Amino acid sequence: MSDTVLLDYCPKSLPSTCYLDDSWFKREQATIWSREWIYIGRQNSFAHGMLHRKNIANCSIIICCNVHGQLSAFHNVCMHRGAELCPGISAKMRGKLITCPYHAWAYADDGRLVSTAFATPTEDFDKSKHELKPVHLKTWNGFLFACLAETPPEFAPDLGLDALNNWPMSDLVVGHTVQKTMNCNWKVFWENYNECLHCPGVHPELTKMVPVYSRGIMSKQEAATWDGDREGRNLREGAQSWTVSGMPCGPEFPNLTPEERDEAHRFVTFYPTAFVVAHVDYARVVSLQPIDAESTLLTAEWLFDPKTLAQPNFDLAHVTDFATGVLEEDATACEWNQRGLRSPAFKQGRLMPQEFYIHDFHKWVLERVSKDGSLVPSLD
Ligand code: FES
Ligand SMILES: [Fe+2]
């Protein structure tokens, strides 16, 4: 095939030390997680008039959602003597102010220091020099991302900014959340996400739902042969969405094209933090938070039109059980992989031509980690 995406050689994978060593993990925290856009939640899930505490790369930040729903973000630290502004998961704002719980210094929601409360500074104290340290925010389709870098990189989902324009994404609300600590490095999860060679062995239900996955491939570009008529639809005969029965869980989104309906699942990827899957009737966002070199918190949120959730006979488990099962299978496979990586008999693997997305991901990681000026391993 002329439009093949398969690699024409078998590159090396990353050495096992990149999945095990604390020093490598810290390099990634500094060069990737502290510099890229990181998903922190759905914009409409932040309650108004509240501070919300989040963690990025072991750095605590606060999202300030004022009474009008306008968002700003800062490092979670008071400029007086460095106490946390929001010691719990969330805190109520005092009117329009962010107030430190320790000695009550108060800041406006744009970070300006407004009051030093009971303390009266002398003239040498310039309030404008003690503003909160801001964190960049970006909203896309109702998803909120934060970036700790002073100059953030371009916000660039792999399928482009318009990929979900036909879905009413901003209106969708979280109807269900699953969290799981996976005993694997965060990169193991992305590697598993990036190939379907494991699908026939690991996903018995998913391969029935998406027949092409049973061939170990995800797309036309990977196939030696492709029967367009038979495979124009991604899902098995009679199925329209990723639910237990294959039936949609509510009204289908009205503005999708016939091709988008046949596609049935559009995956949009945001390294290193999350992917979104949009179906004809609902969507899902899966995000990662590395805990240490060998463990990662996975969060999956199911997003629905509020009208779908309000249906009198709405069966949430009928929707969520299917993808939860797939995620559990993937997490189990990731943990097999991580445990094997600890073996002294394994130092570095080789990728197959079908693992072109993984190779791209490895290059993406190394390009960033190398920015600290230290050596990175070779993949050749
Ligand atoms: S540390 Fe915040 S007011 Fe003192
Ligand atoms: Fe999988």
Side-chain angles (χ1 to χ4, degrees):
M1 280 182 63
S2 56
D3 62 347
T4 184
V5 286
L6 303 187
L7 296 171
D8 58 4
Y9 72 116
C10 292
K12 289 178 181 163
S13 61
L14 294 174
S16 55
T17 49
C18 297
Y19 304 85
L20 302 171
D21 282 7
D22 192 42
S23 58
W24 182 267
F25 180 77
K26 286 194 175 120
R27 284 181 76 183
E28 288 175 343
Q29 292 282 80
T31 57
I32 295 177
W33 291 88
S34 300
R35 307 212 59 81
E36 298 293 325
W37 288 104
I38 305 301
Y39 173 64
I40 50 170
R42 289 287 294 168
Q43 180 170 7
N44 56 20
S45 66
F46 291 91
H48 294 191
M50 299 285 286
L51 303 177
H52 304 260
R53 180 193 173 115
K54 297 281 169 183
N55 227 53
I56 299 179
N58 288 332
C59 178
S60 180
I61 65 170
I62 48 168
I63 313 303
C64 168
C65 182
N66 72 16
V67 286
H68 307 295
Q70 287 156 341
L71 297 164
S72 49
F74 306 95
H75 286 267
N76 185 15
V77 61
C78 175
M79 292 297 131
H80 174 215
R81 275 172 37 218
E84 284 185 331
L85 293 162
C86 182
I89 296 169
S90 62
K92 208 166 167 358
M93 294 175 70
R94 284 205 199 143
K96 293 180 176 165
L97 297 178
I98 301 166
T99 307
C100 178
Y102 201 2
H103 316 100
W105 278 28
Y107 302 85
D109 59 15
D110 60 4
R112 276 177 301 116
L113 175 61
V114 174
S115 159
T116 53
F118 308 101
T120 311
T122 49
E123 270 180 15
D124 58 318
F125 182 84
D126 180 354
K127 274 195 186 134
S128 71
K129 295 206 163 66
H130 302 273
E131 298 184 347
L132 296 181
K133 293 285 176 284
V135 171
H136 296 278
L137 283 182
K138 176 108 201 156
T139 307
W140 178 82
N141 277 316
F143 299 99
L144 193 63
F145 294 80
C147 179
L148 297 179
E150 237 163 76
T151 310
E154 187 190 354
F155 178 78
D158 67 333
L159 296 187
L161 292 169
D162 297 341
L164 299 179
N165 278 6
N166 292 341
W167 278 261
M169 291 304 298
S170 299
D171 300 334
L172 305 188
V173 296
V174 177
H176 182 64
T177 302
V178 166
Q179 280 204 316
K180 180 184 177 67
T181 299
M182 299 182 294
N183 292 313
C184 70
N185 183 274
W186 66 276
K187 298 187 297 301
V188 169
F189 180 87
W190 280 122
E191 291 164 4
N192 176 76
Y193 169 82
N194 273 317
E195 49 87 359
C196 212
L197 295 170
H198 71 273
C199 294
V202 168
H203 298 306
E205 294 306 317
L206 180 60
T207 46
K208 277 184 222 148
M209 179 66 85
V210 189
V212 72
Y213 288 175
S214 64
R215 293 160 59 189
I217 58 176
M218 290 185 277
S219 71
K220 180 178 180 170
Q221 286 74 25
E222 292 178 65
T225 58
W226 188 267
D227 179 342
D229 286 342
R230 188 168 57 86
E231 291 163 355
R233 290 187 85 253
N234 272 325
L235 302 193
R236 68 170 165 74
E237 203 58 44
Q240 277 137 311
S241 186
W242 285 38
T243 60
V244 174
S245 70
M247 290 296 101
C249 63
E252 295 187 17
F253 299 126
N255 297 330
L256 304 186
T257 63
E259 292 74 27
E260 285 166 339
R261 285 176 202 286
D262 280 347
E263 192 180 329
H265 45 244
R266 177 163 295 178
F267 285 79
V268 186
T269 308
F270 306 85
Y271 287 151
T273 178
F275 70 86
V276 176
V277 202
H279 300 290
V280 299
D281 53 338
Y282 77 102
R284 196 165 61 257
V285 54
V286 176
S287 56
L288 300 181
Q289 193 178 324
I291 299 166
D292 56 31
E294 296 202 68
S295 55
T296 304
L297 179 66
L298 174 138
T299 304
E301 295 163 288
W302 278 254
L303 310 176
F304 300 94
D305 185 314
K307 290 197 283 297
T308 295
L309 285 174
Q311 296 171 116
N313 299 322
F314 181 65
D315 182 355
L316 185 65
H318 170 251
V319 193
T320 58
D321 281 1
F322 185 81
T324 304
V326 175
L327 275 175
E328 290 284 350
E329 290 159 359
D330 281 324
T332 300
C334 288
E335 293 182 350
W336 297 335
N337 196 165
Q338 184 72 30
R339 289 200 298 275
L341 288 167
R342 292 187 204 134
S343 168
F346 184 88
K347 297 291 178 220
Q348 190 166 18
R350 292 291 291 273
L351 298 180
M352 295 293 101
Q354 289 81 0
E355 293 172 305
F356 51 93
Y357 279 134
I358 300 183
H359 185 52
D360 285 347
F361 172 63
H362 289 165
K363 287 190 289 188
W364 185 93
V365 168
L366 293 181
E367 186 191 322
R368 280 153 186 79
V369 174
S370 68
K371 287 193 178 147
D372 68 5
S374 299
L375 284 178
V376 294
S378 163
L379 302 176
D380 296 321

